[in-house]
Amino acid sequence: LLISLRVNTLTLTFARRNWQTNGEKEGPCRSGGRKKMERKELAHNSIRMFRRVDTMLRRYLDRKVCHTGVYPTQHRLLMELYRNPNCSQVGLAEKFDVSAAAIAVSLKKLEKGGYITRLADEADNRINQVSVTEKGKEVIHKSFLIFEETDRCFFDGFTDEEMAQFLDFMERAYKNMADENSRLDGEDSK
């Protein structure tokens, strides 16, 4: 499970604070002992925690994949090429929400490293057929194992229902931000 948010690994931990309840100090507990926060503070703390989780996830993945010889973003690209060998550079750029030029640079690095081969299409020289080499397939196999371990680690202690709820929350947050960015793009073009 490679969510766009890069949310795959670790047990969520919450900021520790001492809360006053009837003059006694107690740590934050999941059963409702947490002081009721205002909506603005909840939003701020949630976004801050999301960023911290993302940082921890990136750090974890960087440590896990550094031994494969491929950078983390190249892992995703290599795996996508393996799953969809006929995808175009533009299609890859759209899928990963980056420029076609960024994809071209990554493909060139993967080709130079011997992970893929590119052959010009006989009918149209502007189109390259990309194939994953045996060396690339070895990295993909290692990647699948790394990402399975990452998923297990990230969702340790979560029920299936909580995982589904978490995904729903992330999809809704993504949609909210995508809609807002589209609105801003419309304003920028005026």
Side-chain angles (χ1 to χ4, degrees):
L1 177 67
L2 261 182
I3 300 174
S4 306
L5 306 164
R6 289 175 221 110
V7 180
N8 277 3
T9 326
L10 60 121
T11 305
L12 297 176
T13 55
F14 294 91
R16 296 180 188 263
R17 290 187 180 167
N18 290 326
W19 303 103
Q20 296 286 343
T21 308
N22 296 332
E24 296 179 17
K25 288 187 175 193
E26 44 175 75
C29 70
R30 294 179 182 177
S31 62
R34 189 181 299 266
K35 182 179 175 183
K36 183 173 170 112
M37 290 187 230
E38 297 289 327
R39 182 176 177 87
K40 184 176 178 179
E41 184 180 6
L42 279 170
H44 174 77
N45 288 346
S46 296
I47 291 170
R48 186 179 58 193
M49 183 54 67
F50 171 77
R51 288 176 179 242
R52 290 179 67 200
V53 169
D54 183 52
T55 299
M56 293 300 288
L57 176 62
R58 286 176 189 243
R59 192 165 81 190
Y60 176 86
L61 286 173
D62 286 347
R63 292 166 115 177
K64 295 300 266 184
V65 302
C66 72
H67 307 292
T68 64
V70 177
Y71 293 102
T73 53
Q74 291 172 332
H75 274 267
R76 293 177 56 217
L77 181 57
L78 197 55
M79 291 172 77
E80 185 61 27
L81 289 168
Y82 181 73
R83 283 191 294 258
N84 298 306
N86 296 323
C87 56
S88 69
Q89 207 166 290
V90 172
L92 289 167
E94 289 173 359
K95 177 159 183 73
F96 293 112
D97 199 23
V98 297
S99 69
I103 294 295
V105 169
S106 291
L107 289 175
K108 188 173 184 175
K109 288 178 181 176
L110 287 170
E111 184 177 27
K112 186 175 180 181
Y115 301 102
I116 64 167
T117 57
R118 292 192 286 181
L119 295 171
D121 189 293
E122 291 178 13
D124 187 347
N125 285 337
R126 297 172 298 170
I127 299 173
N128 287 313
Q129 294 295 332
V130 179
S131 300
V132 178
T133 64
E134 284 306 313
K135 183 178 180 181
K137 289 176 184 176
E138 288 175 23
V139 170
I140 289 167
H141 177 70
K142 289 177 186 176
S143 297
F144 280 126
L145 296 175
I146 289 168
F147 295 134
E148 284 177 11
E149 179 184 343
T150 301
D151 293 346
R152 278 192 305 275
C153 180
F154 189 93
F155 289 108
D156 184 38
F158 283 64
T159 65
D160 289 349
E161 182 180 284
E162 289 169 330
M163 288 172 63
Q165 189 176 30
F166 180 76
L167 178 59
D168 181 58
F169 292 156
M170 294 295 102
E171 287 173 340
R172 287 167 46 195
Y174 179 85
K175 182 184 180 316
N176 290 346
M177 295 312 301
D179 290 349
E180 186 61 17
N181 277 306
S182 292
R183 186 188 68 75
L184 292 172
D185 290 344
E187 287 179 7
D188 290 346
S189 65
K190 290 180 183 177

